[in-house]
Every structure is written in structure tokens, then in C-alpha cells.
Amino acid sequence: MSKFQKVRGMHDVPLDQSSIWSEVIKKLASTLKSYSYSEIRLPIIEQTELFKRSVGDETDIVNKEMFTFDSKSKKSMTLRPEGTAGCMRASIEQGLLDQGNQRLFYHGPMYRYERPQKGRNREFYQFSAEAYGNDTISIELELIQIAERIISFFKVPDVSLEINSLGSKEAQDKFSLELVKFLTPLKDKLDEDSQKRLITNPLRILDSKNTETQKILISAPRISDFYSSESAERYKNLKNSLDELGINYQENHNLVRGLDYYNDIVFEWKSEIIGSQSALCAGGRYDSLSKKLGGRDMPAIGFSFGIDRLILACQDAFNFSKSKKLTIIILEESLLNFGANFSERLRDALPDLEIRFSGLDINLKSQLKKAIKNNSDFAIIIGREEVESNSFSFKNLSKDNNQERLNEEEIISKLKQLI
Ligand code: HAM
């Protein structure tokens, strides 16, 4: 019988890495909680129209990369390619925007039909923060500080923060017109994608990796020429604060992001160590999204960490304290119930210890071998005589031949000291 393989671009986490994933997500959640963000849980499937209206009809994500299908009632559905739109949809639907400022976080898999390569999958995991109701740069600063804290906690190598301001939506429209005017006579020299974007999404031409296009862009108009005084002031104030706080950044005038909802400040953290897919966290301000989705006027800003890339960038340099392991072995089948109960009592008393009960496999030698292979730190051996005398063999497997006889209470207090 032929075996199954995972679908191209989907992501199995190898067993020896799954604890890294849980610890990374645990750390991000506790960091966000410490800044007073609350977890919002969101569905993976949304109406296709939600992404068309928010991420944008003319973006690559919506045009080429969505996993879209018809429901049984012939409604167009999509596996979320990102979470910002769904988070805003849910916040409007649940009335959260009527309850004042919100600081939210969520995490989970996202789906984009991209060409898989190192750091790029069709299923990938994001951890995101979104803050609603604050239109001052204090919230830009807060999000940048959170991301910096996370990056420095994980000691991500070779990271740089790039920032840009896209100005208001009106500024983007004016700039796009000027850019098209400037590039149209040079159309034939542009790469194929940029030629198409000249009609569909001119701003994204700035993102082109093609060297010829990049050369042409050097003398193109700059979006900064179109900032309103308010946008220019906001950008200047943010840079001043970053300087004062000693947060390193580079300005990248071509940082335009692949989603249409942004205005003003956008940011990306890159680590060259990942290769060409170097962005490991990205986001920005998106003040018009709420209204576009039928909500009230509501300033908003957020970021998403790509967890696959964060873990890739750190390679194996994670140093989480692992929980200790105990194996409980019985020497007679008739002691099954006693062993099962004994294990339960120890789990009640020592919730941080991983306890594996060997069950009906009563071969002591093979059980000890398995315990060592399973990286067990301790073993408790229970025979008939031990049960009758309430005195069990306790082995510290990390110390050779260290075996002693202890009763149940002594075992519990000994383990409390050791773990
Ligand atoms: P994004 O830049 O499209 O932004 O994605 C954010 C992060 O998700 C990227 O920096 C990257 O780490 C990761 N990522 C994206 N695509 C892939 C992929 N195919 N494979 C692996 N990782 C990937 C957003 O999604 C916005 N919703 C961010 C945001 C939140 N803006 C405001 N709030």
C-alpha cells in the first residue's frame, strides 16, 4: 500500500522540535500579557470578501495566493492568509471597538499559496499583536519595544529593524499617480511584475528585487514628498523617540509591505541568517481598516512574528529549562492498580514532573534501559515487598548507582528538592 506524504508547503513540526515551538509561543504570550494584551481566539476560515476588502484586491496575497473554496451553500470561503483582517472583523462583531482601547494578541496557522523555499511555506505560523484606539506614536513605540524584547530574549542573530512611513491614504494615491507618470516612459526597462503593477498596484513596484528596476527607482519620486504635515511630524517624532531610547533602525524608503491596509508607520525586522525570506516580524499602522469593514473610525496598529522564521533564525540556540522525567516501574502484573494509583498521587503532588508509568511491561532491565533512552532523570521500582513495607527503590538515573529506599512522603519531598 502506498504511503501518504504531507501536502506540498504544509508543515509537520518534527517531534524533537515541538517543545521549542510550545516554549516560543508560551514566551511570546507571556511577554504580550506583561504589556496588558489579551488573547483573542479566531477562526481559520473567513469569507473571501473579507480579505479582498482589507488586504486588497490587487495584492499578490489576494490575487494569487489564497486557498479559496466554495462552501456547500456556494459561498466563497478562504483559509486565512493573515490575521489582521479577521481580528478586526471579530472585534467589530463582538462590539470590542465600542469598549474603548483594545490590546489583543492571537496566534495560529496562516495559508498562502506561495512557492515553498527556505523560510517560506504555504502553511506557516504567525504570532500577532494588534492595538486599537490609540493614534499617538506611543503605541508604535510600545509595539517596537515588545518586538525588540522578544528578539533580544531569543538572541536572534543579525537582526535589523527597518522603518518607513507610507503617509496617509491620500498621499499614497497622489504618489502612485506621480510614480506611474515617471515610470510609464521607462516601462520596457522594468521587470515583468513591475510592468503589471504599473496598472494594478504601483506602490508595490518599490518592493521589486530586480536590479534594473531598482536602478530606475533611484531617481523616481519619493513618497516622503507627499506626506501631510501630520504624517511628517509623526514620522519625525517616532524617529526622535527611537534615537532617544537607543533603538537601532534603518530607514527604508522602499518598504511598502504587501498588504493594502497600511498608512503612515510600517516596520519590518529582518535577519539575514534566514536567507532571502529574511523578514521575521512585520507590521504597521492601518487606521482605515475598521471603517472599511463596517466598523467605527478606529486607529489601529499591529505586528506579526513569523514563528517558523523566528525558530529558523535561532537555529538550535534555544535554551529552555526542560522538565525532569520520572519512570515508575512495577515488578508484578498484580501491582498494576497500585502502580497506576501511586503514579496519580505523584502527579498530584508534583505537577511539573513528567511521570511515565511503565504499566504491564514488568521486565526491570528493559524498563530501566527504556527509561535511560527516554532521558528519564529518576526511576521508582515497585515490587510486592516494597508495597508491603511502604519503602520503594528510588534511583537517581543521572548519578550512577545512586539508589535508596524511601517511603512515599520521602520520595515526594526528595523530588521536590531535585526538580
Ligand atoms: P506579513 O508581512 O505578510 O504581514 O507577514 C508577517 C510575517 O509572517 C512575515 O514577516 C514572516 O515572518 C511571516 N510569513 C509571511 N508569509 C510567510 C510564508 N509564506 N512562510 C513563512 N512565514 C511567512 C502580515 O501578515 C500582517 N497581518 C502583519 C500585521 C499585523 N500588520 C498589522 N498587524
Side-chain angles (χ1 to χ4, degrees):
M1 196 84 87
S2 64
K3 289 186 198 155
F4 289 104
Q5 286 184 328
K6 63 173 182 280
V7 173
R8 184 166 145 82
M10 299 297 127
H11 196 49
D12 283 336
V13 175
L15 196 57
D16 61 353
Q17 284 208 6
S18 60
S19 62
I20 294 180
W21 277 72
S22 345
E23 292 295 335
V24 167
I25 289 158
K26 204 161 105 191
K27 179 66 197 172
L28 264 69
S30 69
T31 306
L32 264 301
K33 280 185 192 152
S34 78
Y35 284 80
S36 199
Y37 284 65
S38 311
E39 180 168 7
I40 182 164
R41 299 181 79 90
L42 302 163
I44 289 174
I45 297 175
E46 297 275 2
Q47 288 177 42
T48 305
E49 188 56 29
L50 174 72
F51 301 112
K52 287 191 175 173
R53 223 195 283 172
S54 52
V55 175
D57 248 346
E58 298 298 350
T59 57
D60 285 353
I61 294 180
V62 169
N63 254 334
K64 304 185 198 160
E65 296 169 4
M66 295 208 301
F67 283 85
T68 294
F69 57 94
D70 277 350
S71 71
K72 288 204 167 131
S73 55
K74 296 275 170 278
K75 290 196 177 110
S76 181
M77 302 285 159
T78 291
L79 299 186
R80 61 181 179 193
E82 60 99 57
T84 305
C87 186
M88 183 59 92
R89 192 264 316 135
S91 301
I92 296 170
E93 198 172 340
Q94 293 177 29
L96 297 182
L97 302 191
D98 306 327
Q99 297 167 26
N101 290 9
Q102 295 293 338
R103 285 174 161 83
L104 305 170
F105 74 86
Y106 54 87
H107 53 95
M110 308 286 157
Y111 299 86
R112 295 183 194 172
Y113 200 93
E114 295 193 81
R115 200 163 40 80
Q117 63 179 86
K118 186 180 172 199
R120 188 165 72 189
N121 269 311
R122 291 181 179 167
E123 180 182 57
F124 56 98
Y125 205 97
Q126 279 187 348
F127 193 109
S128 310
E130 315 283 1
Y132 303 149
N134 187 336
D135 70 351
T136 73
I137 58 146
S138 63
I139 196 74
E140 268 90 346
L141 275 180
E142 179 172 292
L143 284 167
I144 290 174
Q145 281 177 319
I146 296 174
E148 289 278 320
R149 180 179 286 276
I150 289 165
I151 285 165
S152 107
F153 177 83
F154 289 117
K155 301 192 178 70
V156 188
D158 294 333
V159 184
S160 56
L161 162 61
E162 293 186 358
I163 60 169
N164 192 18
S165 172
L166 300 177
S168 62
K169 285 281 163 210
E170 298 78 65
Q172 289 172 32
D173 290 343
K174 279 190 212 154
F175 168 67
S176 294
L177 280 177
E178 287 304 311
L179 190 64
V180 172
K181 240 191 246 171
F182 172 84
L183 291 175
T184 304
L186 307 165
K187 188 176 168 194
D188 295 342
K189 297 191 178 133
L190 297 175
D191 61 278
E192 215 182 302
D193 264 352
S194 298
Q195 292 188 10
K196 282 187 204 142
R197 285 176 175 156
L198 211 46
I199 298 157
T200 57
N201 197 349
L203 208 61
R204 283 303 307 278
I205 298 175
L206 301 191
D207 222 11
S208 168
K209 305 282 176 284
N210 181 281
T211 42
E212 280 309 303
T213 305
Q214 281 177 350
K215 267 189 214 154
I216 295 171
L217 287 172
I218 292 173
S219 37
R222 287 252 166 119
I223 196 159
S224 50
D225 302 333
F226 299 84
Y227 292 161
S228 63
S229 54
E230 202 185 313
S231 289
E233 186 73 5
R234 174 191 290 279
Y235 193 26
K236 192 180 91 200
N237 289 342
L238 177 69
K239 286 185 283 183
N240 285 344
S241 287
L242 292 175
D243 290 337
E244 258 180 51
L245 292 170
I247 297 176
N248 290 328
Y249 63 89
Q250 284 156 20
E251 280 186 76
N252 176 355
H253 302 289
N254 292 338
L255 180 67
V256 285
R257 313 276 301 119
L259 309 96
D260 275 356
Y261 44 63
Y262 294 109
N263 63 279
D264 289 290
I265 312 296
V266 288
F267 35 71
E268 260 182 35
W269 282 263
K270 295 182 174 168
S271 170
E272 291 314 320
I273 202 147
I274 315 175
S276 62
Q277 302 302 313
S278 59
L280 56 93
C281 178
R285 185 168 273 286
Y286 51 96
D287 294 333
S288 52
L289 184 63
S290 170
K291 276 198 108 174
K292 256 193 172 171
L293 300 184
R296 54 169 62 213
D297 218 353
M298 181 60 62
I301 179 167
F303 68 57
S304 300
F305 268 93
I307 299 299
D308 312 58
R309 290 187 194 170
L310 179 64
I311 290 174
L312 194 62
C314 297
Q315 308 288 344
D316 295 324
F318 290 98
N319 197 8
F320 299 115
S321 55
K322 288 201 181 121
S323 43
K324 299 268 187 196
K325 294 182 180 180
L326 163 70
T327 301
I328 296 176
I329 303 164
I330 50 170
L331 300 179
E332 285 177 32
E333 290 189 3
S334 61
L335 295 175
L336 175 67
N337 291 344
F338 181 89
N341 257 329
F342 184 88
S343 305
E344 285 299 274
R345 287 199 297 276
L346 258 58
R347 289 187 187 106
D348 286 341
L350 302 152
D352 292 332
L353 186 64
E354 278 182 36
I355 300 177
R356 179 181 286 215
F357 173 41
S358 63
L360 284 177
D361 189 349
I362 56 170
N363 181 328
L364 179 61
K365 216 168 156 193
S366 99
Q367 276 307 319
L368 281 176
K369 259 193 200 160
K370 282 183 191 165
I372 289 164
K373 199 166 163 223
N374 183 38
N375 296 322
S376 225
D377 302 277
F378 319 106
I380 295 172
I381 300 153
I382 305 175
R384 167 86 28 217
E385 192 252 316
E386 277 91 344
V387 175
E388 277 158 12
S389 61
N390 183 23
S391 163
F392 306 94
S393 302
F394 178 84
K395 258 181 173 304
N396 193 339
L397 297 173
S398 44
K399 287 191 186 168
D400 279 353
N401 294 326
N402 187 322
Q403 179 162 337
E404 53 192 316
R405 295 285 289 238
L406 300 170
N407 68 30
E408 191 174 325
E409 274 161 32
E410 289 165 340
I411 286 178
I412 291 173
S413 58
K414 173 125 205 151
L415 283 169
K416 278 188 177 154
Q417 287 164 19
L418 290 172
I419 60 176

